[in-house]
Amino acid sequence: MKVLVIGGGAREHALCRSLSLDPDVSALYCAPGNAGIAEVAELRPVDALDGDAVAALATELGAGLVVVGPEAPLVAGVGDAVRAAGIPVFGPSAEAAQLEGSKAFAKDVMAAAGVPTARSYVCTTPEEVDAALDAFGAPYVVKDDGLAAGKGVVVTEDRAAARAHALGCDRVVIEEYLDGPEVSLFAITDGVTVVPLQPAQDFKRALDGDEGPNTGGMGAYSPLPWADPKLVDEVMELVLQPTVDELRRRGTPFSGLLYAGLAITSRGTRVIEFNARFGDPETQVVLARLRTPLASVLLNAANGTLDAEPALVWREDAAVTVVIASHNYPETPRTGDPIEGLAEVAAEDAPDAYVLHAGTRREGDAVVSAGGRVLSVTATGSDLAQARAKAYKAVARIRLDGSQHRTDIAAKAAEGR
Ligand code: AMP
Ligand code: GLY
């Protein structure tokens, strides 16, 4: 099978790495890709938001499966355009991707499906904003209704800041604050059958100790030794299956990757948000642990035959990924800096540790930074402590001027805290 992956971050590198190891995959393409993905897939330039262009490329390549990585193309209907060209797509329709594209839509689906989530108000006027802020009190949680590439959510004790963010959006969801640890649980679905993956935890803040600004994610690990062993079953029953059933009932079935961002609160598990695609950087650790070849699972989801897929097989290993970000990330990341040490990791640390590229490109013989998150250094080990040690050993070999990374990814969990 020929597979085309759309996107060009570390998530797509992780997807391409797994697909490249799958004997069912005869040719692998990625558009637009990045310098690291170029080592496992053939890159093609494309405007990932242009459905007709992606469909034409998939047709030209003879792709038997298109995997759409990021949310923006899904919300823009790229999946629909490729499906209309008769090619199976892993990724939801634009309508179903509204589960991520609109926080208000997601809340409506959750209410209809009885899925536990924070109580919320959808507000469009300053009066409604004030009433909602007062109803919940601090800490305030204010979410831009639309896609905002990780910048749409403000959580703050400062009422004026919460109000200012709300008034800067056309439509906002203001909701109750949820405390407790966060878990990301992904499920693959064809719109009927739902297959959960292993849970992971993401580190959203830029600095050690969960300080500093929110980011796209600075690291992740899996499994979660502290989590209730029944968590996956519980979330399947209370969240994932009811959500998939509700979208099918509405005539907009969701196929692809359903990502539940969860808070484990003292009053039970609550959904913080849904995403309509694999999470980044959690995908890097989840796929590092998956033994089952990926292509047939994704194709069965795309074709509506996921019930025929045998149970997924997981490694006993733990996985940790540490993101190396550029100077001044997330505010105004500097790009164009040369990256050194990649060959040393490949020579000394593989196969247990490897570097997945996020924002990189090739400039002559050099690989240079091309985004805020630059690399996602991933390692597996017999437990989290070992996986962590291997990941940080590889991180130490990478030289990128002005770069930053967190030093405490998975530290608490590895110590049993
Ligand atoms: P999102 O863009 O929806 O992933 O939100 C970004 C981050 O904001 C989440 O990972 C949480 O850390 C935080 N957040 C979102 N909603 C809430 C909430 N209701 N209570 C507490 N924190 C939240
Ligand atoms: N890890 C957060 C996200 O992918 O949205």
Side-chain angles (χ1 to χ4, degrees):
M1 178 192 349
K2 295 182 179 177
V3 182
L4 169 62
V5 175
I6 302 301
R11 162 186 51 211
E12 287 75 29
H13 195 174
L15 287 164
C16 285
R17 180 177 183 275
S18 293
L19 290 167
S20 75
L21 298 171
D22 184 335
D24 280 347
V25 176
S26 56
L28 181 61
Y29 304 93
C30 185
N34 63 36
I37 297 173
E39 290 171 19
V40 291
E42 189 178 321
L43 301 193
R44 291 301 178 107
V46 82
D47 175 359
L49 296 177
D50 182 341
D52 292 338
V54 173
L57 176 63
T59 304
E60 176 204 323
L61 295 171
L65 173 67
V66 174
V67 180
V68 182
E71 62 276 16
L74 292 166
V75 171
V78 167
D80 304 274
V82 177
R83 252 186 294 268
I87 300 171
V89 182
F90 184 79
S93 66
E95 276 183 301
Q98 283 302 104
L99 205 53
E100 174 164 5
S102 165
K103 307 263 185 205
F105 177 77
K107 285 291 185 187
D108 189 56
V109 170
M110 283 189 266
V115 169
T117 185
R119 289 177 298 125
S120 64
Y121 294 106
V122 179
C123 309
T124 53
T125 67
E127 294 71 35
E128 287 170 355
V129 166
D130 283 324
L133 293 175
D134 291 338
F136 294 125
Y140 302 99
V141 182
V142 180
K143 304 184 169 185
D144 192 340
D145 180 48
L147 274 192
K151 298 194 177 72
V153 178
V154 166
V155 181
T156 178
E157 296 281 342
D158 179 347
R159 191 181 187 286
R163 188 169 192 274
H165 180 59
L167 298 185
C169 307
D170 291 337
R171 193 153 85 129
V172 283
V173 172
I174 294 179
E175 67 179 33
E176 153 193 39
Y177 177 80
L178 300 173
D179 60 2
E182 288 182 35
V183 171
S184 301
L185 184 63
F186 304 161
I188 291 176
T189 177
D190 59 4
V192 179
T193 302
V194 183
V195 176
L197 305 185
Q198 290 284 316
Q201 190 171 50
D202 176 17
F203 292 75
K204 286 244 160 80
R205 300 297 188 115
L207 306 175
D208 282 2
D210 296 326
E211 304 283 340
N214 249 318
T215 72
M218 295 299 289
Y221 67 93
S222 176
L224 311 180
W226 50 268
D228 184 337
K230 293 194 296 292
L231 178 70
V232 174
D233 290 344
E234 181 204 357
V235 175
M236 265 296 281
E237 188 189 329
L238 296 179
V239 176
L240 298 167
Q241 191 71 56
T243 300
V244 168
D245 292 346
E246 171 62 18
L247 284 162
R248 191 177 64 249
R249 194 190 64 73
R250 291 176 180 220
T252 55
F254 184 103
S255 75
L257 195 291
L258 177 58
Y259 166 144
L262 305 160
I264 314 299
T265 77
S266 52
R267 292 182 298 128
T269 302
R270 300 278 185 276
V271 174
I272 292 183
E273 60 161 348
F274 282 127
N275 292 319
R277 37 81 194 168
F278 280 99
D280 189 343
E282 299 97 310
T283 300
Q284 289 86 301
V285 290
V286 171
L287 292 185
R289 300 186 56 225
L290 180 65
R291 213 183 267 285
T292 305
L294 193 57
S296 89
V297 187
L298 302 185
L299 184 65
N300 275 323
N303 284 338
T305 50
L306 199 54
D307 59 340
E309 182 67 32
L312 299 179
V313 183
W314 297 93
R315 289 178 212 282
E316 290 299 318
D317 285 359
V320 171
T321 194
V322 179
V323 170
I324 299 182
S326 48
H327 184 63
N328 261 336
Y329 177 74
E331 285 83 15
T332 48
R334 189 176 79 200
T335 60
D337 289 306
I339 302 163
E340 285 166 36
L342 296 170
E344 278 121 284
V345 176
E348 305 292 333
D349 305 321
D352 294 357
Y354 47 90
V355 179
L356 299 169
H357 291 222
T360 68
R361 65 186 151 79
R362 202 159 259 293
E363 233 173 52
D365 283 343
V367 174
V368 303
S369 59
R373 289 187 293 176
V374 180
L375 302 170
S376 188
V377 179
T378 306
T380 53
S382 55
D383 58 17
L384 284 174
Q386 208 189 90
R388 250 190 118 241
K390 290 185 193 179
Y392 278 108
K393 191 169 164 206
V395 166
R397 296 190 205 275
I398 304 289
R399 296 175 300 279
L400 168 64
D401 190 39
S403 72
Q404 39 166 330
H405 63 266
R406 281 184 61 159
T407 66
D408 63 347
I409 302 301
K412 280 190 200 165
E415 288 165 16
R417 284 189 283 150

